[in-house]
Amino acid sequence: MRKQLRLGIMGGTFDPIHYGHLVAAEEALVQFNLDRVVFMPTGEPVRKTHRLVTPAEHRYLMTVIATASNPDFEVSRLEIDRPGVTYTVDTMLELRTIHGSETELFFITGADAILDILTWKDSQRLADTCTLIAATRPGYDLSRLSQRPESAEFKIELMEVPALAISSTDIRTRIVAKRPVRYLLPEAVATYIRKNRLYEGAA
Ligand code: NAP
C-alpha cells in the first residue's frame, strides 16, 4: 500500500525570510513527521495596507536562496503566479487537486495570523482541507489562541519556536537604521538584499 504523504505548507509573506522561519519549518518537519515542507510566499497578501510589500519575485528568490541547501524544503510559485489577492483556501484546494485526497496537508504559519482565521475567506472550507500549525514566539500568550475560532472545526496544533524571536519587521527596521542583520538570516539572503537595495527606504 502506498504511504500517505504528509505535506507541510509554510505560508508567509517572507519579507524577508529569516532563520526563525527556517527553524520553524525544520521543527514542524520533525515534530509532525512531515515528508517535506513547501514554502509558499504569498502573492498579494490580504490586509497589508499599512506598508508596501516587496515585489513577489524578490520575496520568492530570497526564499529559494534560503532553502536551497535543505533537501526536505521546496518553494512553490503557486501563490505568486496566481493573479489577485492571495487566499489560503484557494491554495489548499489547488494542492488537494494536485496531490489527491490521500495526502495530508499541514498549513504552518505564525500564531498571530492564525488568530484571525475566522475572518479569512471560506474559513470553514479551509478547515476541512488541512491541519493548521501555529508557530509562536517564546513568551507568546497562549490564552489568546484558546479564545479562537469556535464556529468552524479547525484542527490547530501549537509549536513554540525560540528562533521566532527574530522577525521580518525587526530586520527591515535594522536595515533602514543601518544596524547589523548578520546571524538573523542566511548570509546569501543578506547579500541579495544589499545587491538589490531592498528595505533601504522604509520598514
Ligand atoms: P503576518 O500578519 O505578516 O504575520 C503575523 C505574524 O506571524 C508575524 O509575527 C510573522 O512574523 C509571523 N509569521 C508569518 N508567517 C510565518 C511563518 N510561516 N512561520 C512563522 N511565523 C510566521 O502574516 P502574513 O505573512 O500576512 O500571513 C501568514 C500566512 O497566512 C500567509 O500564508 C497568508 O497568505 C495567510 N493568510 C491568509 C489569509 C486569507 O486567506 N484570507 C489572511 C491572512 C493571512 P514575520 O513577519 O517575521 O514573518
Side-chain angles (χ1 to χ4, degrees), residues 10-13 18 21 42 48 87-88 107 109-110 120 137 167-168:
M10 182 74 170
T13 308
H18 53 66
H21 298 129
T42 53
K48 281 275 191 290
Y87 295 108
T88 301
F107 184 72
T109 197
W120 292 14
R137 299 192 151 93
S167 85
S168 300

Side-chain angles (χ1 to χ4, degrees), residues 63-105:
T63 308
V64 169
I65 291 168
T67 55
S69 62
N70 189 329
D72 297 320
F73 291 173
E74 289 172 14
V75 187
S76 170
R77 296 187 60 94
L78 212 65
E79 291 191 350
I80 67 167
D81 286 344
R82 189 194 303 138
V85 172
T86 297
Y87 295 108
T88 301
V89 67
D90 299 338
T91 307
M92 299 318 268
L93 291 173
E94 214 171 325
L95 289 171
R96 200 27 86 243
T97 307
I98 296 168
H99 294 283
S101 55
E102 66 281 6
T103 295
E104 216 174 323
L105 299 174

Side-chain angles (χ1 to χ4, degrees), residues 9-18 20-22 24-25 39-48 50-51 53 59 79 85-91 107-114 116-117 119-122 126 133-137 140 159 161 164-172:
I9 310 300
M10 182 74 170
T13 308
F14 303 129
D15 197 12
I17 189 162
H18 53 66
H21 298 129
L22 295 168
F39 283 70
M40 184 70 70
T42 53
E44 194 183 317
V46 191
R47 288 184 244 114
K48 281 275 191 290
H50 59 290
R51 71 174 183 92
V53 172
R59 293 184 287 105
E79 291 191 350
V85 172
T86 297
Y87 295 108
T88 301
V89 67
D90 299 338
T91 307
F107 184 72
I108 312 155
T109 197
D112 279 338
I114 284 183
D116 284 339
I117 207 149
T119 64
W120 292 14
K121 182 186 160 199
D122 283 350
L126 176 63
I133 301 179
T136 66
R137 299 192 151 93
Y140 187 88
M159 182 179 71
V161 182
L164 279 176
I166 302 171
S167 85
S168 300
T169 308
D170 177 52
I171 290 172
R172 293 193 303 270

